[in-house]
Coordinates of all heavy atoms in Angstrom, one line a residue:
G1 N -28.6 27.1 5.8 CA -28.1 26.8 4.5 C -28.8 27.5 3.3 O -28.4 27.4 2.2
V2 N -29.9 28.2 3.7 CA -30.6 29.0 2.7 C -30.4 30.5 2.9 O -31.0 31.1 3.7 CB -32.1 28.7 2.7 CG1 -32.8 29.4 1.6 CG2 -32.4 27.2 2.5
G3 N -29.5 31.1 2.1 CA -29.3 32.5 2.2 C -30.2 33.2 1.2 O -31.0 32.6 0.5
P4 N -30.2 34.6 1.2 CA -31.0 35.3 0.3 C -30.9 35.0 -1.2 O -31.9 34.9 -1.9 CB -30.5 36.8 0.5 CG -30.0 36.8 1.9 CD -29.4 35.4 2.1
K5 N -29.7 34.7 -1.6 CA -29.5 34.4 -3.0 C -30.1 33.0 -3.4 O -30.7 32.9 -4.5 CB -28.0 34.3 -3.4 CG -27.3 35.6 -3.4 CD -25.8 35.5 -3.8 CE -25.2 36.9 -3.8 NZ -23.7 36.8 -4.2
V6 N -30.0 32.1 -2.5 CA -30.7 30.8 -2.8 C -32.2 30.9 -2.7 O -32.9 30.4 -3.6 CB -30.2 29.7 -1.8 CG1 -31.0 28.4 -1.9 CG2 -28.7 29.4 -2.0
A7 N -32.7 31.7 -1.8 CA -34.1 31.9 -1.7 C -34.7 32.6 -2.9 O -35.7 32.3 -3.4 CB -34.4 32.8 -0.4
I8 N -33.9 33.6 -3.4 CA -34.3 34.3 -4.7 C -34.3 33.3 -5.8 O -35.2 33.3 -6.7 CB -33.4 35.5 -5.0 CG1 -33.6 36.6 -4.0 CG2 -33.5 36.0 -6.4 CD1 -35.0 37.3 -4.2
A9 N -33.3 32.4 -5.9 CA -33.2 31.4 -7.0 C -34.5 30.5 -6.9 O -35.0 30.2 -8.0 CB -32.0 30.6 -6.8
I10 N -34.8 30.1 -5.7 CA -36.0 29.2 -5.6 C -37.3 29.9 -6.0 O -38.1 29.4 -6.8 CB -36.1 28.7 -4.1 CG1 -35.0 27.8 -3.7 CG2 -37.5 27.9 -3.9 CD1 -34.9 27.5 -2.3
L11 N -37.4 31.1 -5.6 CA -38.6 31.9 -5.9 C -38.6 32.4 -7.4 O -39.7 32.8 -7.9 CB -38.8 33.1 -5.0 CG -39.3 32.7 -3.6 CD1 -39.0 33.9 -2.6 CD2 -40.8 32.4 -3.6
S12 N -37.5 32.3 -8.0 CA -37.5 32.7 -9.4 C -37.9 31.5 -10.3 O -38.4 31.6 -11.4 CB -36.0 33.1 -9.9 OG -35.7 34.3 -9.3
E13 N -37.7 30.3 -9.7 CA -38.0 29.0 -10.4 C -39.5 28.6 -10.1 O -40.2 28.1 -11.0 CB -37.1 27.9 -10.0 CG -37.3 26.6 -10.8 CD -37.0 26.7 -12.2 OE1 -36.0 27.5 -12.6 OE2 -37.7 26.0 -13.0
L14 N -39.9 28.8 -8.9 CA -41.2 28.4 -8.4 C -42.0 29.5 -7.7 O -41.4 30.3 -7.0 CB -41.0 27.2 -7.4 CG -40.2 26.0 -7.9 CD1 -39.9 25.1 -6.7 CD2 -41.1 25.2 -8.9
S15 N -43.3 29.5 -7.9 CA -44.1 30.5 -7.2 C -44.3 30.1 -5.8 O -44.1 28.9 -5.4 CB -45.5 30.5 -7.9 OG -46.2 29.3 -7.6
P16 N -44.6 31.1 -4.9 CA -44.8 30.7 -3.5 C -45.8 29.6 -3.3 O -45.7 28.7 -2.5 CB -45.3 32.0 -2.9 CG -44.7 33.1 -3.7 CD -44.7 32.5 -5.1
E17 N -46.9 29.7 -4.1 CA -47.9 28.6 -4.1 C -47.4 27.3 -4.4 O -47.7 26.3 -3.7 CB -49.0 29.0 -5.1 CG -50.2 27.9 -5.1 CD -51.2 28.3 -6.2 OE1 -51.0 29.3 -6.9 OE2 -52.1 27.4 -6.4
R18 N -46.5 27.2 -5.4 CA -45.9 25.9 -5.8 C -45.0 25.4 -4.8 O -44.9 24.2 -4.5 CB -45.2 26.1 -7.2 CG -44.8 24.7 -7.8 CD -46.0 23.9 -8.2 NE -45.7 22.5 -8.5 CZ -45.6 21.5 -7.6 NH1 -45.8 21.8 -6.3 NH2 -45.3 20.3 -7.9
I19 N -44.2 26.3 -4.2 CA -43.3 25.9 -3.1 C -44.1 25.3 -1.9 O -43.8 24.3 -1.3 CB -42.5 27.1 -2.6 CG1 -41.5 27.5 -3.7 CG2 -41.7 26.7 -1.3 CD1 -40.8 28.8 -3.5
A20 N -45.2 26.0 -1.5 CA -46.0 25.6 -0.4 C -46.6 24.2 -0.7 O -46.7 23.3 0.2 CB -47.1 26.6 -0.1
L21 N -47.1 24.0 -1.9 CA -47.6 22.7 -2.3 C -46.6 21.6 -2.3 O -46.9 20.5 -1.8 CB -48.3 22.8 -3.7 CG -49.5 23.6 -3.8 CD1 -49.9 23.8 -5.3 CD2 -50.7 22.9 -3.1
A22 N -45.4 21.9 -2.7 CA -44.3 20.9 -2.7 C -43.9 20.5 -1.2 O -43.8 19.4 -0.9 CB -43.0 21.5 -3.4
V23 N -43.9 21.5 -0.4 CA -43.6 21.3 1.0 C -44.7 20.5 1.7 O -44.5 19.5 2.4 CB -43.3 22.6 1.8 CG1 -43.2 22.3 3.3 CG2 -42.1 23.2 1.3
A24 N -45.9 20.9 1.4 CA -47.1 20.2 2.0 C -47.2 18.7 1.6 O -47.6 17.9 2.4 CB -48.4 20.9 1.7
G25 N -46.7 18.5 0.3 CA -46.8 17.1 -0.2 C -45.5 16.4 0.0 O -45.4 15.2 -0.5
G26 N -44.5 17.0 0.6 CA -43.2 16.3 0.8 C -42.4 16.1 -0.5 O -41.6 15.2 -0.6
D27 N -42.7 16.9 -1.5 CA -42.1 16.8 -2.8 C -40.8 17.6 -2.9 O -40.8 18.7 -3.4 CB -43.1 17.2 -3.9 CG -42.5 17.2 -5.3 OD1 -41.5 16.5 -5.5 OD2 -43.1 17.8 -6.2
F28 N -39.7 17.1 -2.3 CA -38.5 17.9 -2.3 C -37.8 18.0 -3.7 O -37.1 18.9 -3.9 CB -37.5 17.3 -1.3 CG -36.8 16.0 -1.7 CD1 -35.6 16.0 -2.4 CD2 -37.4 14.8 -1.4 CE1 -35.0 14.8 -2.8 CE2 -36.8 13.6 -1.8 CZ -35.6 13.6 -2.5
K29 N -38.1 17.0 -4.6 CA -37.5 17.0 -5.9 C -37.8 18.3 -6.7 O -37.0 18.7 -7.5 CB -37.9 15.8 -6.6 CG -37.3 14.5 -6.1 CD -37.6 13.3 -6.9 CE -37.0 12.0 -6.4 NZ -37.3 10.8 -7.2
T30 N -39.1 18.8 -6.5 CA -39.5 20.0 -7.2 C -38.5 21.1 -6.9 O -38.2 22.0 -7.7 CB -40.9 20.4 -6.8 OG1 -41.8 19.3 -7.4 CG2 -41.3 21.7 -7.4
L31 N -38.1 21.2 -5.6 CA -37.2 22.3 -5.2 C -35.9 22.3 -5.8 O -35.2 23.3 -5.9 CB -37.1 22.3 -3.6 CG -38.4 22.5 -2.8 CD1 -38.2 22.5 -1.3 CD2 -39.1 23.8 -3.2
T32 N -35.4 21.1 -6.2 CA -34.1 21.0 -6.8 C -34.0 21.6 -8.2 O -32.9 21.7 -8.8 CB -33.6 19.5 -6.9 OG1 -34.6 18.7 -7.7 CG2 -33.6 18.8 -5.5
R33 N -35.2 22.0 -8.7 CA -35.1 22.7 -10.0 C -34.5 24.0 -9.9 O -34.0 24.6 -10.9 CB -36.6 22.9 -10.5 CG -37.2 21.6 -11.0 CD -38.7 21.7 -11.1 NE -39.2 22.8 -11.8 CZ -40.5 23.2 -11.9 NH1 -41.4 22.4 -11.3 NH2 -40.9 24.3 -12.5
A34 N -34.4 24.6 -8.7 CA -33.8 25.9 -8.5 C -32.2 25.8 -8.5 O -31.7 24.8 -7.9 CB -34.3 26.5 -7.2
S35 N -31.6 26.8 -9.0 CA -30.1 26.8 -9.0 C -29.6 26.8 -7.6 O -30.0 27.6 -6.8 CB -29.6 28.0 -9.8 OG -28.2 28.1 -9.8
G36 N -28.6 26.0 -7.3 CA -28.0 26.0 -6.0 C -28.7 25.1 -5.0 O -28.3 25.1 -3.8
V37 N -29.7 24.4 -5.4 CA -30.5 23.6 -4.4 C -30.3 22.1 -4.8 O -30.9 21.7 -5.8 CB -32.0 24.0 -4.4 CG1 -32.7 23.1 -3.4 CG2 -32.2 25.4 -4.0
G38 N -29.5 21.4 -3.9 CA -29.4 20.0 -4.1 C -30.4 19.2 -3.3 O -31.2 19.8 -2.6
P39 N -30.4 17.9 -3.5 CA -31.4 17.0 -2.8 C -31.3 17.2 -1.3 O -32.4 17.2 -0.6 CB -31.0 15.6 -3.2 CG -30.3 15.8 -4.5 CD -29.5 17.1 -4.4
K40 N -30.2 17.3 -0.7 CA -30.1 17.4 0.8 C -30.7 18.7 1.3 O -31.4 18.7 2.3 CB -28.6 17.3 1.2 CG -28.0 15.9 1.1 CD -26.6 15.8 1.7 CE -26.1 14.4 1.6 NZ -24.7 14.3 2.2

């Protein structure tokens, strides 16, 4: 469900470090800040 465009959108909104911290902490809501990324 994550294609290149979605991945680019996530990395445009969040740094790799912030993404890693969100995943490590189970903070999925932070990822929804990126365009095209819903809660699921």
Side-chain angles (χ1 to χ4, degrees):
V2 181
K5 289 184 179 180
V6 172
I8 288 291
I10 294 172
L11 284 163
S12 289
E13 184 67 35
L14 303 166
S15 67
E17 178 186 356
R18 189 68 192 85
I19 293 169
L21 289 171
V23 172
D27 178 18
F28 74 89
K29 289 184 179 179
T30 292
L31 299 178
T32 61
R33 287 162 48 185
S35 176
V37 180
K40 288 185 178 180

